[in-house]
Amino acid sequence: MKQTILLLLATCTFATTWAQEPVWMDPISRASQWQESIYLTAFATEEIPKNGSQSDAQEKLYQMIKSQLSDGILVSINTKTELNISIENTATNERLQQRSTSVSDMDLVGLKLDNYYDKRKKSLYAFGYVSIDELTQYNKGIISKNSLQIQQNNQQYTSTSQKPEKIRLLINNKQLLESIQKSINVLNALSKPHGAEIHQLKITASDNSQKLDQLFGSGTVTATDIVTRLHGELLLHLPTGSLPLVRASKFSYSSSTITSPYSDALNHQLKNALSEDKRITFSPEGKGQLVGRFFQNSTQTVFSANITAPNQDIISTTTFAVATDLIDTQGLAFLPTHFEVIPNLSNIQLSAPKRLAIKPAEYVSHPLTVSCSLDGKLIPNVPIDIILEKSGKQKIYKITTSSMGQAHFNLDNSMVVPGETYLAKIALNLGQYLSLSPQNSFLKEVQSNQKTPETSTELVIKSPTVYVQSSEVGISSPLRIKVIEPAIKSGLSDLHYSFVNDDASSDYDLIIEAIARKGQTGEIATLAYIDATVSLIDKLTGKEIYKNSFFDIKGIGATHDDAQAKAFQRAKTQIVDDITYNLEYKR
């Protein structure tokens, strides 16, 4: 129902006098003709600077006149109301109370305004007055008319079975009661009897509030019921006149900025309902906002909505609670995705082995497996952070549980070094799970009140073991001290391989075969050559992960023995460079 807006100026006359000075310019004449027992009067003046606007100055003075008159009337309205209709003790409602009793909402019925410009002094004067008797009769009429309307609303409330209509009638009663309270305060300020039965009005206000709360604490509460109350109570405190353009924003869960299918539907219905009021215009370019929020405690869901000005001041607001188990969502998801875990966050369990010893060859076949469960039931699609920590340095990796509620984390050579031990810290990434940024205030609040699920695993990265079979034969006999084998062992040790003397316990077999042969014998130099084959076999699969043959590696010396020694040295360097390069960069 459209709120009835009383004209601020029921009767208002404007006159501009440029010649004869009006009688109200004289203080004695003003006091005589507009006696304070009959009229409320106000006088204001302002000097107009060069190039100043007289029309702007006139409007400013008229606002000052209205403010003076209102201050004379509303001497007690900003105190606690006699009917206790409004919610007390919140900053928001204090601001609303101040706004609702501002000059813009004061009905100065019969206000007369006049002005006079003194060219010599370059000053503009304004005078306003209003009849006390006219204000008295007007406000008595408000009390009488509204009291009758409340009785009629109560009769309709009893006769209707439609909850939205009951809500509308009770909210209208709140509006009528507040208007009665305002008129009582005006009459008290004017020292005029108001004739209202204060005790009965208090009972009516209390009964009205109880009935409204009961409607949201029993039966079924639909989205229409909630929108009817949001809409009615927002309009209840809107000022008269036009408002800044408003842009509709989200109806989000608390301060998370995340909506749900249910709250999106609620926001759409509320915007449509508010659009029917001529004071509100929704536009993408609007600087004002419609901001809706809802959140749950153990038994209730609290809904709130604000209409704010471009400077973020609250123009109108409402907040009320609904019994959660009574809300009919019509099949729409009530909470944003995954938000149902928030109350149970401390009950979520992350499970992983306390210790995992693994070799590089097992990186693919033996991943670190993490399970996520709530009350014994595995949870799918949960983002998890794996933080690998070593010597104070950290690397973060992300995994997500599958439809089976498990996630697998495969190590690789870029993450860890064989022969080292790491700590894998495992934690649920709550922000990603709730689609909230790490800076979101709601996320920070949840994290400060509840512990995010986490666990840890000690990762022991075992060095792969190698058993070596080598044959290094010189021109005339096997080498007494091998050259290629120790060089390869040194190179592979740098790649974190270790060597064992038991073939049964090794992961790899390294086979080295090298043989020297004579080359040409000359007067100046003698040649020798090395032919070699090296292979590294993965014993688990039987595959050669490295194999290469080297031919005609030449050595030059004074004798064949000298040339052979130099050929083995060249072969050592060439073979080590090739095998380490292939194992580190090409595998």
Side-chain angles (χ1 to χ4, degrees), residues 386-449:
I386 305 288
I387 305 170
L388 286 185
E389 186 176 277
K390 173 70 176 176
S391 302
K393 296 182 179 180
Q394 295 183 340
K395 293 180 181 179
I396 301 177
Y397 303 92
K398 297 182 181 297
I399 57 177
T400 303
T401 60
S402 66
S403 58
M404 303 301 291
Q406 289 187 330
H408 303 292
F409 179 59
N410 289 96
L411 296 166
D412 62 42
N413 291 327
S414 67
M415 300 177 184
V416 292
V417 175
E420 301 288 348
T421 299
Y422 298 80
L423 178 64
K425 296 180 179 179
I426 305 166
L428 186 150
N429 189 323
L430 186 61
Q432 185 179 342
Y433 193 52
L434 300 180
S435 301
L436 297 171
S437 71
Q439 293 75 35
N440 185 272
S441 59
F442 176 77
L443 176 63
K444 291 180 179 179
E445 181 181 353
V446 172
Q447 290 172 328
S448 65
N449 292 330

Side-chain angles (χ1 to χ4, degrees), residues 323-376:
T324 301
D325 57 356
L326 303 182
I327 299 174
D328 181 6
T329 66
Q330 293 291 305
L332 296 175
F334 187 73
L335 295 178
T337 303
H338 300 143
F339 272 53
E340 69 280 353
V341 306
I342 293 175
N344 300 310
L345 196 58
S346 60
N347 295 327
I348 293 179
Q349 297 292 323
L350 289 178
S351 301
K354 292 299 180 183
R355 185 177 185 273
L356 178 62
I358 187 171
K359 299 177 182 179
E362 300 170 329
Y363 287 163
V364 174
S365 60
H366 292 77
L368 173 61
T369 300
V370 181
S371 299
C372 183
S373 62
L374 174 61
D375 298 331

Side-chain angles (χ1 to χ4, degrees), residues 234-528:
L234 284 174
L235 294 185
L236 187 64
H237 294 291
L238 280 184
T240 57
S242 60
L243 298 173
L245 294 178
V246 176
R247 68 177 184 272
S249 58
K250 299 176 181 178
F251 208 108
S252 57
Y253 187 88
S254 189
S255 58
S256 71
T257 71
I258 304 296
T259 67
S260 70
Y262 181 83
S263 70
D264 286 338
L266 206 65
N267 188 55
H268 178 71
Q269 292 182 47
L270 179 58
K271 178 183 175 182
N272 287 343
L274 290 171
S275 296
E276 296 178 4
D277 192 284
K278 293 181 179 180
R279 291 170 293 176
I280 302 177
T281 302
F282 287 97
S283 169
E285 291 76 34
K287 301 299 183 182
Q289 289 191 72
L290 168 63
V291 180
R293 304 193 190 282
F294 72 108
F295 63 92
Q296 289 182 319
N297 55 33
S298 58
T299 59
Q300 293 181 321
T301 300
V302 178
F303 293 89
S304 67
N306 300 327
I307 296 177
T308 62
N311 63 357
Q312 303 304 311
D313 278 352
I314 295 175
I315 298 174
S316 185
T317 187
T318 179
T319 300
F320 58 89
V322 181
T324 301
D325 57 356
L326 303 182
I327 299 174
D328 181 6
T329 66
Q330 293 291 305
L332 296 175
F334 187 73
L335 295 178
T337 303
H338 300 143
F339 272 53
E340 69 280 353
V341 306
I342 293 175
N344 300 310
L345 196 58
S346 60
N347 295 327
I348 293 179
Q349 297 292 323
L350 289 178
S351 301
K354 292 299 180 183
R355 185 177 185 273
L356 178 62
I358 187 171
K359 299 177 182 179
E362 300 170 329
Y363 287 163
V364 174
S365 60
H366 292 77
L368 173 61
T369 300
V370 181
S371 299
C372 183
S373 62
L374 174 61
D375 298 331
K377 183 178 179 180
L378 292 173
I379 310 175
N381 305 316
V382 177
I384 295 172
D385 288 342
I386 305 288
I387 305 170
L388 286 185
E389 186 176 277
K390 173 70 176 176
S391 302
K393 296 182 179 180
Q394 295 183 340
K395 293 180 181 179
I396 301 177
Y397 303 92
K398 297 182 181 297
I399 57 177
T400 303
T401 60
S402 66
S403 58
M404 303 301 291
Q406 289 187 330
H408 303 292
F409 179 59
N410 289 96
L411 296 166
D412 62 42
N413 291 327
S414 67
M415 300 177 184
V416 292
V417 175
E420 301 288 348
T421 299
Y422 298 80
L423 178 64
K425 296 180 179 179
I426 305 166
L428 186 150
N429 189 323
L430 186 61
Q432 185 179 342
Y433 193 52
L434 300 180
S435 301
L436 297 171
S437 71
Q439 293 75 35
N440 185 272
S441 59
F442 176 77
L443 176 63
K444 291 180 179 179
E445 181 181 353
V446 172
Q447 290 172 328
S448 65
N449 292 330
Q450 298 193 62
K451 185 177 180 181
T452 302
E454 59 183 29
T455 188
S456 63
T457 297
E458 181 187 35
L459 290 176
V460 179
I461 312 303
K462 299 167 66 176
S463 295
T465 56
V466 180
Y467 177 74
V468 181
Q469 304 174 53
S470 66
S471 171
E472 298 183 38
V473 180
I475 293 175
S476 58
S477 64
L479 297 184
R480 184 173 59 85
I481 300 176
K482 295 179 179 179
V483 176
I484 296 176
E485 177 185 342
I488 293 178
K489 282 184 176 180
S490 177
L492 293 184
S493 294
D494 291 341
L495 298 183
H496 306 287
Y497 287 82
S498 62
F499 297 88
V500 294
N501 296 320
D502 179 16
D503 187 25
S505 63
S506 67
D507 300 310
Y508 299 95
D509 279 340
L510 176 63
I511 301 174
I512 305 169
E513 294 180 352
I515 187 168
R517 54 184 172 84
K518 291 182 179 181
Q520 294 179 346
T521 303
E523 295 181 359
I524 299 176
T526 300
L527 302 180

